[in-house]
Amino acid sequence: DTGVSQDPRHKITKRGQNVTFRCDPISEHNRLYWYRQTLGQGPEFLTYFQNEAQLEKSRLLSDRFSAERPKGSFSTLEIQRTEQGDSAMYLCASSLAAGAPEGEAFFGQGTRLTVV
Amino acid sequence: AQSVTQLDSQVPVFEEAPVELRCNYSSSVSVYLFWYVQYPNQGLQLLLKYLSGSTLVKGINGFEAEFNKSQTSFHLRKPSVHISDTAEYFCAVSDGFQKLVFGTGTRLLVSP
């Protein structure tokens, strides 16, 4: 299966610790997105990349959050000094932007973060 | 700004009955509309999408949706549901270039 892969699937961390998540998109996809989903809510956009360029960041992405996509392949999302409010499912998606409009974004299975 | 409203947080239905999940959107630009399904502890899977053309869109697993511009709606329907359709369903809107804006979701509960 060559879908979007996220690692780890689950992460439990103590408040104040740093965590890093990884996303491997579908290989030919040049766009990569990060979303956050809290319990009972729909996913909320955090940021997206086209190739290695980070083109948009949501106001939800505080200074403690940083995302990278070196070489336009996999991406990492780091949260520094985690807080209990960071507990959520972090979803990664990728799509192929071959022009406008784009079609389907394929989602990974997500990383569930629990901050205790 | 774009937004999506899913009025029903939960829809209970018996197996083999029809179902409609409601979605209304607001947008100041041309929209592209999507329905995704999420099973427990899983990511999202695309059911169907409206980009242009026919307002009746057919998707996977027997689902369909109708785009109604005058009512700013994109309701999801299935004529006969199965137990396996039990899941969370999300409506989403995009301007076609960047991010998806999701609704809060509707939990479909199918019982025998």
Side-chain angles (χ1 to χ4, degrees):
Chain A
D1 183 63
T2 57
V4 178
S5 177
Q6 291 189 247
D7 182 69
R9 292 291 309 281
H10 303 275
K11 178 71 177 179
I12 300 174
T13 190
K14 291 183 179 179
R15 189 174 52 185
Q17 298 294 304
N18 299 344
V19 293
T20 300
F21 310 140
R22 177 180 171 123
C23 172
D24 287 273
I26 293 172
S27 59
E28 64 269 25
H29 284 186
N30 53 359
R31 285 193 182 168
L32 186 148
Y33 308 80
W34 285 99
Y35 290 83
R36 182 174 68 186
Q37 184 179 21
T38 54
L39 204 60
Q41 299 296 316
E44 296 174 293
F45 170 79
L46 292 178
T47 187
Y48 98 98
F49 294 82
Q50 179 147 327
N51 301 313
E52 66 276 9
Q54 188 174 18
L55 297 186
E56 185 176 348
K57 292 193 292 186
S58 163
R59 284 172 291 181
L60 293 175
L61 213 65
S62 76
D63 291 344
R64 298 184 297 106
F65 287 69
S66 63
E68 295 183 342
R69 193 183 182 197
K71 303 178 183 178
S73 56
F74 72 91
S75 175
T76 58
L77 178 67
E78 180 183 17
I79 309 174
Q80 295 182 327
R81 305 180 302 282
T82 52
E83 302 172 356
Q84 286 189 322
D86 297 331
S87 295
M89 175 82 90
Y90 290 84
L91 293 164
C92 177
S94 70
S95 70
L96 182 62
E102 64 184 81
E104 179 175 359
F106 291 81
F107 282 80
Q109 293 190 313
T111 294
R112 181 169 295 283
L113 173 66
T114 302
V115 182
V116 298
Chain B
Q2 298 172 313
S3 67
V4 173
T5 301
Q6 293 183 250
L7 290 171
D8 305 307
S9 60
Q10 188 166 291
V11 173
V13 64
F14 289 109
E15 193 174 19
E16 298 183 8
V19 70
E20 178 178 83
L21 306 184
R22 296 182 293 170
C23 172
N24 288 87
Y25 67 91
S26 68
S27 176
S28 58
V29 297
S30 296
V31 295
Y32 305 96
L33 293 156
F34 305 81
W35 275 99
Y36 282 84
V37 61
Q38 185 177 38
Y39 298 100
N41 296 315
Q42 298 293 317
L44 284 78
Q45 181 184 9
L46 182 69
L47 281 176
L48 48 78
K49 62 188 177 189
Y50 171 79
L51 302 181
S52 64
S54 173
T55 57
L56 183 62
V57 180
K58 294 190 182 297
I60 62 170
N61 301 340
F63 284 93
E64 64 180 32
E66 185 158 19
F67 170 58
N68 188 319
K69 188 175 182 179
S70 63
Q71 297 188 3
T72 60
S73 68
F74 190 55
H75 300 332
L76 181 71
R77 295 190 289 260
K78 186 169 183 178
S80 176
V81 296
H82 301 288
I83 296 285
S84 60
D85 292 324
T86 295
E88 190 89 20
Y89 292 80
F90 293 96
C91 182
V93 64
S94 166
D95 64 5
F97 294 89
Q98 300 172 11
K99 59 186 178 289
L100 292 164
V101 175
F102 287 88
T104 52
T106 297
R107 182 173 299 279
L108 177 62
L109 295 171
V110 182
S111 53

